[in-house]
Amino acid sequence: MLRHYRATGADLPFGDPLRAHGTALEGYFWRLTDPGSGRVIVALCGVHRDGEGRSWSNVALAAHPGRVLHQADVPGGLADPDDLGVRAGAGTFHGDARGVRVDLGPRARLDLHIHEACAWPTGRALGGLGIGQVVPGLSQRWHPYLLGARATGTAQLDGERIDLDGFRVYAEKNWGTSGFPSRWWWGQAQHVDGRPDACVAFAGGAISLGPWRTHATAIVVRVGDRVVRLGDPVWSPVRTDFATDGRWRLRARSRRLTVELDGRADPAGAHLLPVPLPARRCSVPGARQHFDGQLHVTVRERGRLLLEGRSSLAGLEHGGAHVMAELSRAAAATAPGGRPAACLPVGRGRRAA
């Protein structure tokens, strides 16, 4: 019975959301930042099931400065049902709590080792999604399980070898019954106010449960050894205000805490990250993510300032059907015959830079 319950995407209180659920989408995401060099590296892998239960995976390795992006859709893939772990392709991607290895060819490789992890606090009944964790059938879920760690290893990107010593690591997992929502927003930043022990992450968007539709946002902030979460609709609601794709403004309040996040980025400077379409067995550009956004963070407890500062290497993202439609129209305007390119068949890779 528990297996069927988790297959809806839900977890019991004190359950482990990092184990694969068997949903149509199981996504894994690592983000590395180094304020000294201004570098950001992102590695992601999703394992998906189409309508016939066949598995396939999408893999990407991206970096800043520049809009470096290497990606591939590959057949098969394994999301670990017993622990945090994902594999895709014949050595293309392997990630777990200890590190990540990516091999998309000689111009796109990553060998990351994770040390001194600041994980999601043990003993908490609920994860990053809060009370939504226990509700069966929600279309999308999110859990930021690694709120800071020290990196070692190397990356090979477009002929350059990058030493990862000194980078900080953030990681999260997302999963859902039918893929990504119709619209979403996301952000993450470390080194807030120059502090290596300060981390903030947020995720929100359209969620559905059968015919029911709404929008929700969750915010997680780490300050030293303390981790706070806001975003429950009744006890700690989050207000969002997005005037353009270049602005992220969130306000959250609970009985004791207030969190204010103000993010800005140049819309023209975003990476176009792949978004999987599980039923179609392919991924398409659908997420505009800025690797060097500006995010100002203010956290107060009963009026007392806990954290205030800025990150200039914030990840800030808008995504959804509106982005895909816009990109599809642009591709149709330039493609031969006025038609955008179709999804690549599984097993063929592609690269964008």
Side-chain angles (χ1 to χ4, degrees):
M1 182 174 292
L2 179 59
R3 181 171 63 86
H4 291 294
Y5 174 70
R6 295 192 79 250
T8 70
D11 285 283
L12 292 172
F14 301 102
D16 182 5
L18 299 183
R19 298 189 296 121
H21 296 75
T23 52
L25 179 153
E26 300 272 357
Y28 304 79
F29 179 90
W30 289 262
R31 186 170 190 264
L32 292 74
T33 54
D34 178 28
S37 64
R39 291 186 181 275
V40 180
I41 298 174
V42 162
L44 64 87
C45 181
V47 176
H48 319 291
R49 291 189 299 112
D50 64 16
E52 299 178 3
R54 298 173 301 173
S55 64
W56 66 277
S57 304
N58 73 302
V59 175
L61 186 61
H64 167 84
R67 280 188 245 177
V68 178
L69 174 60
H70 298 261
Q71 61 189 80
D73 294 340
V74 297
L78 174 65
D80 193 335
D82 300 316
D83 203 349
L84 173 71
V86 61
R87 294 178 181 269
T92 302
F93 198 105
H94 177 212
D96 57 27
R98 298 178 298 275
V100 181
R101 293 196 305 273
V102 185
D103 187 353
L104 287 169
R107 297 179 63 81
R109 287 177 175 150
L110 176 69
D111 183 15
L112 166 67
H113 304 275
I114 295 173
H115 311 271
E116 301 166 13
C118 178
W120 185 262
T122 59
R124 289 201 178 183
L126 302 173
L129 200 63
I131 194 65
Q133 171 180 314
V134 304
V135 180
L138 291 181
S139 54
Q140 183 73 194
R141 300 167 193 270
W142 170 77
H143 181 55
Y145 67 88
L146 182 62
L147 302 174
R150 181 174 62 86
T152 61
T154 59
Q156 297 280 350
L157 289 167
D158 290 347
E160 182 181 7
R161 183 183 184 277
I162 302 169
D163 185 350
L164 301 179
D165 191 17
F167 280 70
R168 297 293 292 176
V169 188
Y170 163 87
E172 65 180 46
K173 186 174 184 287
N174 70 305
W175 61 101
T177 56
S178 59
F180 276 66
S182 59
R183 185 188 179 205
W184 69 88
W185 44 91
W186 173 91
Q188 191 277 324
Q190 296 187 149
H191 307 281
V192 177
D193 196 27
R195 295 180 54 168
D197 64 345
C199 175
V200 60
F202 65 86
I207 59 173
S208 61
L209 179 61
W212 180 69
R213 302 287 187 274
T214 189
H215 292 82
T217 303
I219 299 175
V220 171
V221 180
R222 173 198 171 199
V223 184
D225 294 331
R226 187 173 181 186
V227 176
V228 300
R229 181 205 169 276
L230 294 91
D232 288 316
V234 176
W235 297 284
S236 57
V238 178
R239 299 197 327 268
T240 58
D241 175 20
F242 306 119
T244 68
D245 273 357
R247 179 181 177 186
W248 293 254
R249 189 171 186 265
L250 298 90
R251 299 291 183 268
R253 180 183 296 274
S254 70
R255 186 171 57 87
R256 295 183 299 108
L257 294 162
T258 60
V259 177
E260 300 179 356
L261 305 178
D262 287 283
R264 294 184 181 275
D266 178 3
H271 282 65
L272 295 176
L273 296 186
V275 174
L277 305 177
R280 292 177 59 184
R281 295 177 62 82
C282 66
S283 58
V284 297
R288 286 196 178 96
Q289 185 175 131
H290 302 266
F291 284 29
D292 61 342
Q294 303 291 319
L295 183 66
H296 188 268
V297 181
T298 305
V299 183
R300 290 185 172 87
E301 183 174 29
R302 292 192 171 100
R304 180 175 64 89
L305 192 65
L306 291 183
L307 176 67
E308 183 175 21
R310 182 179 300 274
S311 171
S312 59
L313 289 180
L316 296 170
E317 179 176 298
H318 283 289
H322 64 297
V323 175
M324 298 180 200
E326 179 183 332
L327 295 174
S328 181
R329 288 192 295 269
T334 58
R339 289 188 174 185
C343 288
L344 291 176
V346 170
R348 293 175 56 190
R350 54 184 168 178
R351 175 191 177 278

